Amino acid sequence: MTPELIAEKLQARFGDKILEFAKDAINPVAKVAPDAVHDVCKFLKDDAELYFDMCHNLSGYDLGAGKNLAVIYHLFSFKHQHWFAIKAEVPREGGHLPTVALLWRTAEWHEREVFDLYGIRFDGNPDLRRILCPDDWEGWPLRKDYVVQEYYHGIRVPYKEDWNNFDTLAANPERGHFVFQFEKRLPVVNGNGKAAEKSNQ
Amino acid sequence: MSTFGALGNIFKKQRYYFEGEGEMVVDLDPSAALDQRRDELIKARQSGNFPGDDMIVNMGPQHPSTHGVLRLELVLDGEIVKKVTPHIGYLHRNFEKHAENLGWNEIIPYTDRLDYLAAMNMNHGYCLAVEKLLGIKELPKKVEYIRVICAEFMRISSHLMAVGTFGLDVGAITPFLWAFRDRERILDLFEWISGARLLYNYIWIGGLSRDMPSGWIKQATEFLDELERNMKEFNRLLSGNQIFIKRAAEVGVLPPEVAINCGATGPVLRGSGIKWDCRKDEPYSIYPQFEFEIPVGEGRYGPMGSAFDRYWVRIREIEEAIKILRQALPQCPEQGDVKEAIPRRMKTAAGAECYVRSEAPRGEIGFYVRSNGSDIPDRVRCRSSCFVHVSLLDEISRGCMVADMILNIGSIDIVLGEVDR
Amino acid sequence: MRQYFRDVWRGVFTVLIGMRETWVHVFRPPTTKQYPHERFQLPPGTRQQLFMNADDCIGCFKCARICPVNCIYIDTVKAKPTEDLGKASTGNPIRQHVVRFDIDMFKCCYCDDCTTVCPTECLYMTDKFEASVYERSNGIYHFSKYEPALAMKMLAEQAAEEAAAAAAKAAKAAAAPKKEPAAAAPAPH
């Protein structure tokens, strides 16, 4: 089935729960109300004509600091060999979605990853813990307004350009293959623009 | 057949719809049969008093046979594994956060480091996604040919590593050395064409970083002859060995419906008997031009979808890759500019997004890219196949022995750089 | 029972086949090399340590901008109108003193992006790969041809000049509203 037909079918079934459908996008995607995600997914999986038996990708993204977070589901059907994508937006603070881990087992770990990196809670996920970061990490790293914590168990976390503070190189003529011009370190007066820009972020 | 623990494997008796008429009936409800005693165990872990004879053992992260820094928390009843909880993240770099601060083409060196044993395929997958986002449809013929040739050589190299280390996990040391000998030749070829041995940064958006040196095709063809001979030797030594077959053919059984529900792709999915390869069924690049077959697990020596089936699919895939290369190498055009289609400015409309998957040696690698209208991406997500395969480790190892865990990890062939990203 | 003995026989037989294969390898030439004594011939265009030819650098910052890991550090001083720094070997005019050009080889990821954007081809990768050092600071390579004392002096002079120019501009901006208040208002954008 083409994505347009699938979207029509979804709209006929769920009505205004399907908020919009971007059919001109490269991967046509339907935007779904957050509370209807599980019902829509269950319908997509169980309906004989749709039969999306594989959740190929489940990814979160951030629409920008101060705006909503979103989750996108890329579904694929081995039987009919068609694709469809749905997405749902949740508020930044306290956003939560119903889980689809009971429909597709693969979604369990993907939801854990979205929870880990974006802080979106999935109600009903059997094992919603942090997966990539340590359990006691602070903050949600992939949000646009994420500020890295200063210390983690006494370890300094933010990367600091510290090589400028090395005392170099007392004259050591055999330190490499190249003929070096400097015998002493040159202190930084102004770093290059890119490094300064990135450290500000 | 291994003995199953008290929980049993609830999937063993279900049939898959590709074979029969009926529909798929898998309805995974982790609260029901799977984790009857999970809450009990969590309480036990906190209090230190384990119910019955259960014991929790950590395997890894420094265990050499976990193929990296992977920690497995095994719940054991005697020597029978009741539950596996993988703990990942020891190699986490947050590639996706890095990617949000770099230009589209500066991300390519980072994609090398995802699956460092198949860096060309990672480059290729990422470039396919960005090219689709930027709307680059036509590439020079030479670029497409060299991309496919490099991707297939990388597939051979990665599978040689996989089958070699799988032999090592079972206890066969010699095939590992032979596999490395052949892999080394492929790395030499790559060093000649791209300048680097492992992390290439060779496939760029819309082109390649440098041209193919003259004489490369001849050298590659000569190597293929040698590789075919060596693979026959390899098969006589390891794949035909009855002890190896008996050891591997009855462990790590992954039924097909579980494989699909768990999102398995690549050799793990094909080992379960499902004939699916997105090079063939959803072709990208110039794969439709070539004739090759999709090897699937046959279950000749035991249940379908066992560790041996996955191993055998990889061996057969090496042969199919040789077949593709035999067709691609003579057809590859000598003349042509490999950099002519590289876009000067990489900008799209804000909010444009696309998801593209491609077939890497370990499974399907998917890149979800999203632009915010500027030079740097808004979001780059890597759907990693190894990540999914680690999550199904619990399914294939419940009920097996501790010693079989090594085989199960070896047979799904994970690279922790891609799992943790 | 029959199956058991068949398995035992096949196990022994297939192991014998494998042993024949390995026995053949005894008479083959070795594929390994004793590395420090024998060396591989590296192919042309191999990507190892970076090198910068200081005579040709025009201080365009392209390499520093494209570097994915930010391992190149450049400082430049603009040449005075009276100075003529000549041209690079590719013909590009040099308009800046490249007083500092440092590469942190421990950070470098050997991706070869910087050498492809270099307009004068002064930055390239050599075939030297054995560069382990005992101190981390020795892995930071300095390629500029300016003495550090001179470089610091030049940078300080430039900073002073810029500060003076900024101060003059500020003074002018402060003085301007008295004369022409309308013209001094910046265009909103």
Side-chain angles (χ1 to χ4, degrees), chain B residues 36 126 250 317 357 415:
Chain B
Q36 282 171 344
Y126 173 73
E250 291 184 355
E317 269 187 27
R357 65 172 172 182
V415 163

Side-chain angles (χ1 to χ4, degrees), chain A residues 69-91:
Chain A
L69 303 171
V71 178
I72 186 160
Y73 304 73
H74 291 274
L75 310 175
F76 177 68
S77 167
F78 275 103
K79 195 174 179 183
H80 302 298
Q81 308 211 351
H82 51 215
W83 283 93
F84 197 63
I86 62 171
K87 67 177 175 186
E89 283 186 17
V90 293

Side-chain angles (χ1 to χ4, degrees), chain B residues 7-287:
Chain B
L7 299 178
N9 193 325
I10 60 163
F11 302 114
K12 285 290 176 232
K13 285 168 191 161
Q14 287 164 355
R15 289 182 62 83
Y16 186 55
Y17 61 82
F18 276 21
E19 298 169 2
E21 292 290 313
E23 283 200 12
M24 200 164 101
V25 279
V26 182
D27 188 16
L28 279 163
D29 187 357
S31 59
L34 287 180
D35 298 332
Q36 282 171 344
R37 304 176 68 187
R38 186 174 159 271
D39 295 339
E40 225 175 301
L41 279 170
I42 287 173
K43 267 183 214 159
R45 198 188 303 158
Q46 286 161 356
S47 67
N49 302 318
F50 295 112
D53 298 333
D54 284 352
M55 183 165 60
I56 294 182
V57 172
N58 272 312
M59 188 170 150
Q62 267 81 25
H63 198 289
S65 71
T66 51
H67 294 218
V69 275
L70 169 69
R71 180 159 73 91
L72 299 173
E73 194 181 313
L74 310 175
V75 179
L76 301 179
D77 180 12
E79 212 188 336
I80 294 168
V81 177
K82 280 174 139 182
K83 181 160 174 57
V84 183
T85 315
H87 292 265
I88 63 173
Y90 291 90
L91 206 56
H92 181 50
R93 288 99 62 197
N94 217 335
F95 151 74
E96 293 160 7
K97 189 77 178 176
H98 275 295
E100 285 173 14
N101 292 312
L102 294 165
W104 288 107
N105 50 355
E106 291 169 31
I107 297 171
I108 298 173
Y110 283 84
T111 62
D112 280 336
R113 283 142 178 92
L114 290 176
D115 184 350
Y116 40 79
L117 294 178
M120 284 282 185
N121 297 76
M122 296 290 125
N123 288 354
H124 196 186
Y126 173 73
C127 290
L128 284 172
V130 180
E131 279 157 18
K132 193 165 180 186
L133 186 73
L134 299 176
I136 304 168
K137 295 211 172 60
E138 280 290 308
L139 288 178
K141 239 183 155 46
K142 186 174 185 183
V143 172
E144 293 279 20
Y145 268 101
I146 296 178
R147 280 182 178 194
V148 166
I149 288 168
C150 286
E152 292 305 314
F153 265 123
M154 199 79 242
R155 193 180 308 279
I156 295 175
S157 141
S158 167
H159 280 340
L160 280 173
M161 184 85 176
V163 297
T165 48
F166 184 60
L168 199 65
D169 288 340
V170 177
I173 297 173
T174 315
F176 173 71
L177 299 173
W178 291 9
F180 254 64
R181 176 195 61 195
D182 294 337
R183 181 172 175 270
E184 202 69 11
R185 295 286 306 274
I186 298 177
L187 297 192
D188 284 346
L189 285 174
F190 279 144
E191 190 178 16
W192 192 11
I193 196 171
S194 76
R197 286 182 76 78
L198 201 62
L199 306 164
Y200 307 105
N201 185 19
Y202 182 58
I203 297 176
W204 282 3
I205 297 160
L208 303 169
S209 75
R210 41 174 100 172
D211 202 353
M212 179 187 271
S214 66
W216 195 86
I217 291 179
K218 187 163 166 284
Q219 195 91 350
T221 319
E222 280 170 13
F223 166 69
L224 283 185
D225 300 338
E226 198 178 312
L227 180 68
E228 275 180 348
R229 253 193 337 269
N230 288 345
M231 284 315 291
K232 276 180 194 151
E233 278 179 5
F234 190 94
N235 284 340
R236 278 201 291 272
L237 180 65
L238 185 63
S239 315
N241 191 316
Q242 185 73 7
I243 300 169
F244 170 72
I245 292 171
K246 280 277 166 192
R247 178 80 182 86
E250 291 184 355
V251 299
V253 179
L254 179 68
E257 68 273 8
V258 184
I260 286 187
N261 200 303
C262 290
T265 45
V268 179
L269 182 70
R270 290 192 281 276
S272 296
I274 295 165
K275 203 164 187 164
W276 174 264
D277 189 329
C278 71
R279 287 177 293 167
K280 194 98 169 173
D281 296 309
E282 205 183 85
Y284 55 92
S285 194
I286 51 165
Y287 278 109

